[in-house]
Amino acid sequence: MNPSTLCPPPDPFGHQARFLERFARRTLIVHAGFPVGWFEELLKQPGGGGHFRVDLRIAPGQPPTPIEWVVHGFIAPLELPLPLLVRVDREALYIRHLVKNGTAAHPSEILWMLDDILDRYHARLQVQPGHFAAETGIPVSDNRIETPYGSF
C-alpha cells in the first residue's frame, strides 16, 4: 500500500498510545502470506502462537485502526523483505526480516532472532510524539543469527 493513500487517523497521538498500550512487550509478524506449511510449523514452536500476525494484503480501514496505522503507515514503507518480525517496546519498534536463502526462515529460528533483536535489527522505529522515526540497523543482506553456539 502506498503510505500517501493511507487516511491519517484523526488523533495520531491517541492511535500511537493505544497501539503501544496493546502491543508493548509483544511481537508482531508482518507478512503477505506464508510459504506452504510455514504457519503450521510456527504454531508447533514454543510461543509460536503468541505472535500477533498482520497480513499486509488486507487494506486498512478508513480511518485505520492503531495497528493498521503503524503497520501500513510506518513499517510497510520501509520496504523490507517479508515476513517481518517486530518487537514492540514502549520506546521503539525493532524490526528484522525473516528471509534466509530466498525464503522465510524456519519458525524455530524466531526465538534466536528475538534474543538479539535489540542489537541486530534491520530497522528501528523510535517512538516520537504522534509518529515513529525510522533508523537503519544491520544491512538487509545480513540475516545471520547469533547464538551462544555460534552464528548461522
Side-chain angles (χ1 to χ4, degrees):
M1 159 152 278
N2 180 342
S4 64
T5 62
L6 184 66
C7 178
D11 175 14
F13 300 97
H15 260 51
Q16 184 180 55
R18 284 188 292 282
F19 172 80
L20 293 171
E21 180 65 30
R22 171 70 175 94
F23 295 102
R25 299 170 310 282
R26 297 179 190 243
T27 57
L28 311 175
I29 295 179
V30 177
H31 66 93
F34 296 113
V36 174
W38 195 91
F39 180 69
E40 291 78 11
E41 191 62 36
L42 174 68
L43 294 177
K44 294 177 187 176
Q45 303 304 313
H51 308 293
F52 192 85
R53 296 166 304 281
V54 181
D55 190 337
L56 282 176
R57 298 172 299 181
I58 299 172
Q62 299 296 332
T65 64
I67 193 168
E68 291 170 341
W69 176 69
V70 171
V71 169
H72 288 276
F74 296 95
I75 295 174
L78 298 171
E79 297 183 346
L80 291 168
L82 296 174
L84 300 172
L85 181 64
V86 181
R87 175 181 162 157
V88 180
D89 288 346
R90 290 219 172 260
E91 66 282 344
L93 282 62
Y94 298 87
I95 305 166
R96 186 158 170 178
H97 73 75
L98 295 174
V99 177
K100 290 184 77 179
N101 302 318
T103 190
H106 192 274
S108 64
E109 298 178 12
I110 290 175
L111 290 178
W112 290 113
M113 289 181 173
L114 282 172
D115 280 348
D116 68 353
I117 199 167
L118 298 180
D119 297 317
R120 292 185 46 76
Y121 52 84
H122 293 106
R124 179 176 185 243
L125 294 178
Q126 179 70 34
V127 176
Q128 300 291 321
H131 70 96
F132 297 87
E135 302 171 9
T136 58
I138 61 175
V140 172
S141 61
D142 179 4
N143 212 18
R144 73 182 184 282
I145 298 171
E146 302 291 339
T147 74
Y149 312 106
S151 316
F152 64 95

